[in-house]
Amino acid sequence: MEQVVGDIPPVTRSWIIAAVGTSVLVECQLIAPLQLYFSWKNAVGHMQLWRFFTTFFYFGPLSFDLVFHLFFIMRYSRLLEENSFSNRRADYIYLLALCATFLLAISPLLTLPFLSSSLAFALVYIWSRRNPSIKMSLFGVITITAPYLPHCLVAFSWLLQGGFEAAVGDIVGILAGHTYVFLQDYWPREMWSESGKGEIRTPAIV
């Protein structure tokens, strides 16, 4: 087990440990979900600054749903960190920070107290756009190429879990991921930027 955990790249590993640890603390009733969710009123008005982070760590109680989300982090965050961001840990941290900031900024428009699933879904979208030729088997039923994966998952959530409200977290994750991909990949290619690089630059302090 120690070897398996050690093989996970550091940023992804830290996120998984934080997610599992948060759920364990809630399960042991040492903390309550009400202390973790995000709202600007509590985070800024009451100076409960930890809510800026805990909203991205809590995926729910110990359950199959938690395992499902951890699988998504384990797979797609790891693939991004090991491939697109290989030897670029600061850039990957900055990617997570930008997507998290986007989600926090639009959170007043939504009823999403926890943004962890949306952040994880943003990574799924980014990975799918950067690997357009990869073919995947969706639930062992149909074969699709990677760019269709996020949309198929949204459709399944919409149809099987309760309409728009069940899928809204995934949808805003797509918006966050697409904003990053547009600025970093599409915009420079379309506008023929002189540098040939994306518009997003990781600050030196990171």
Side-chain angles (χ1 to χ4, degrees):
M1 182 64 180
E2 182 178 350
Q3 180 65 35
V4 173
V5 174
D7 288 341
I8 303 172
V11 178
T12 301
R13 180 171 66 240
S14 299
W15 192 9
I16 291 173
I17 291 173
V20 173
T22 302
S23 291
V24 169
L25 291 174
V26 171
E27 194 73 19
C28 294
Q29 299 184 351
L30 297 177
I31 56 177
L34 288 176
Q35 297 173 282
L36 305 174
Y37 77 92
F38 180 79
S39 75
W40 284 100
K41 179 180 179 181
N42 288 322
V44 178
H46 297 161
M47 293 301 292
Q48 297 175 353
L49 301 181
W50 67 84
R51 294 180 185 271
F52 283 103
F53 303 96
T54 55
T55 187
F56 297 108
F57 294 156
Y58 187 60
F59 288 89
L62 297 177
S63 63
F64 178 78
D65 189 58
L66 174 62
V67 174
F68 180 77
H69 283 102
L70 291 181
F71 167 78
F72 261 64
I73 297 175
M74 179 85 75
R75 178 172 174 80
Y76 296 104
S77 177
R78 181 174 186 168
L79 286 171
L80 281 175
E81 190 174 351
E82 290 182 337
N83 296 300
S84 295
F85 293 88
S86 177
N87 299 316
R88 296 167 52 209
R89 189 180 306 167
D91 291 338
Y92 189 57
I93 292 173
Y94 195 53
L95 157 65
L96 292 173
L98 289 174
C99 289
T101 301
F102 178 93
L103 294 171
L104 291 170
I106 67 172
S107 63
L109 305 176
L110 309 167
T111 54
L112 290 173
F114 294 102
L115 300 169
S116 48
S117 296
S118 298
L119 181 58
F121 210 85
L123 301 183
V124 174
Y125 181 85
I126 294 169
W127 175 85
S128 72
R129 288 294 166 177
R130 289 191 166 183
N131 297 273
S133 62
I134 292 181
K135 292 185 178 181
M136 311 181 67
S137 176
L138 192 63
F139 304 118
V141 178
I142 58 175
T143 300
I144 59 172
T145 52
Y148 292 102
L149 175 63
H151 306 293
C152 289
L153 294 176
V154 167
F156 275 106
S157 295
W158 190 302
L159 295 173
L160 301 179
Q161 298 183 15
F164 176 77
E165 291 186 2
V168 64
D170 295 345
I171 292 171
V172 296
I174 287 178
L175 291 176
H178 184 74
T179 300
Y180 180 88
V181 170
F182 176 79
L183 293 175
Q184 189 69 2
D185 299 343
Y186 297 164
W187 179 262
R189 188 166 61 236
E190 293 294 330
M191 300 304 295
W192 298 92
S193 65
E194 294 181 3
S195 65
K197 298 180 179 179
E199 297 298 309
I200 297 174
R201 302 286 191 275
T202 303
I205 191 173
V206 179

